[in-house]
Structures are given as structure tokens and as C-alpha cells.
Amino acid sequence: SFLRQFPTVVTGNARMFCNMIAMDSQGHLWVEGTIPCTGDYIMRYTQRGLVLRKIELQKTYFVRGLAVDTRTNHIFVTQETRDENGDTHGEVLIYQPDGTLVRI
């Protein structure tokens, strides 16, 4: 019920435009989105809207997917990237809650 209760302000007046939202086992929100002129990020917010974690993502021009395994609290991000030949490739990134990349 609190999903629209707080703005996704990151620092200062920088606001993130959200694409995907997932909730972890502690009730914190993980939000994937873009901060204009800055980049793509995953942010972890408390239920009151305080930022707990900020993870920078590789810039892509495709929509991502976001999910949280509530048993392990691993954060799963699906994304497509484009290589130098213009071919697209899908991948799944797995992060720990502290922002450490577990594997691709």
C-alpha cells in the first residue's frame, strides 16, 4: 500500500524514473530505473522512502526485469545488451543485497 507514498528522489533533487519494482523479505522495495543524464540504477528503499542501497547498472536501451528471491535476498536483473555487430544478447545479473555482483 506504500508503493506510491514516497517520491524516488536519490540525492538532492535528482529523481529516478522507475521501470520495475520488487520487494525483499524485509519489506524493502527494490526499484530499477533511470536517473536522467546520469544512468540506470537499482535502488533499495525503506517503507518510508529512505535510500538504503544504490547499484549502478550498465546503460542499455532495453527494458529490464527485476525480481528478488525472498529466501536468499538475491536480486535478479534481466537485461539485453547489444554487441559491436548490433546483435542483442540477454543476460541475468544476480546481486547480493550489499550490491555485490554474484554472477552474470
Side-chain angles (χ1 to χ4, degrees), residues 83-97:
D83 64 20
E84 62 277 351
N85 297 323
D87 298 324
T88 58
H89 303 278
E91 58 189 13
V92 177
L93 308 173
I94 303 172
Y95 292 94
Q96 293 179 354

Side-chain angles (χ1 to χ4, degrees), residues 70-85:
T70 56
R71 187 177 44 86
T72 63
N73 270 337
H74 283 153
I75 300 93
F76 294 82
V77 179
T78 60
Q79 68 179 18
E80 284 186 66
T81 58
R82 194 172 275 158
D83 64 20
E84 62 277 351
N85 297 323

Side-chain angles (χ1 to χ4, degrees), residues 3-14:
L3 292 179
R4 295 192 179 264
Q5 299 292 324
F6 61 86
T8 53
V9 174
V10 182
T11 55
N13 291 327

Side-chain angles (χ1 to χ4, degrees), residues 5-99:
Q5 299 292 324
F6 61 86
T8 53
V9 174
V10 182
T11 55
N13 291 327
R15 180 170 280 203
M16 183 166 66
F17 294 95
C18 304
N19 298 318
M20 298 286 165
I21 298 173
M23 187 180 296
D24 64 22
S25 63
Q26 297 174 333
H28 297 124
L29 290 181
W30 286 90
V31 179
E32 183 274 324
T34 300
I35 301 170
C37 302
T38 303
D40 296 344
Y41 296 89
I42 304 170
M43 306 291 291
R44 186 182 191 200
Y45 291 94
T46 67
Q47 292 182 9
R48 295 185 179 265
L50 300 174
V51 175
L52 295 175
R53 176 75 51 209
K54 177 180 172 183
I55 303 171
E56 187 170 4
L57 299 173
Q58 174 185 352
K59 182 68 177 169
T60 69
Y61 297 95
F62 302 99
V63 175
R64 290 187 170 90
L66 177 66
V68 177
D69 181 339
T70 56
R71 187 177 44 86
T72 63
N73 270 337
H74 283 153
I75 300 93
F76 294 82
V77 179
T78 60
Q79 68 179 18
E80 284 186 66
T81 58
R82 194 172 275 158
D83 64 20
E84 62 277 351
N85 297 323
D87 298 324
T88 58
H89 303 278
E91 58 189 13
V92 177
L93 308 173
I94 303 172
Y95 292 94
Q96 293 179 354
D98 67 1

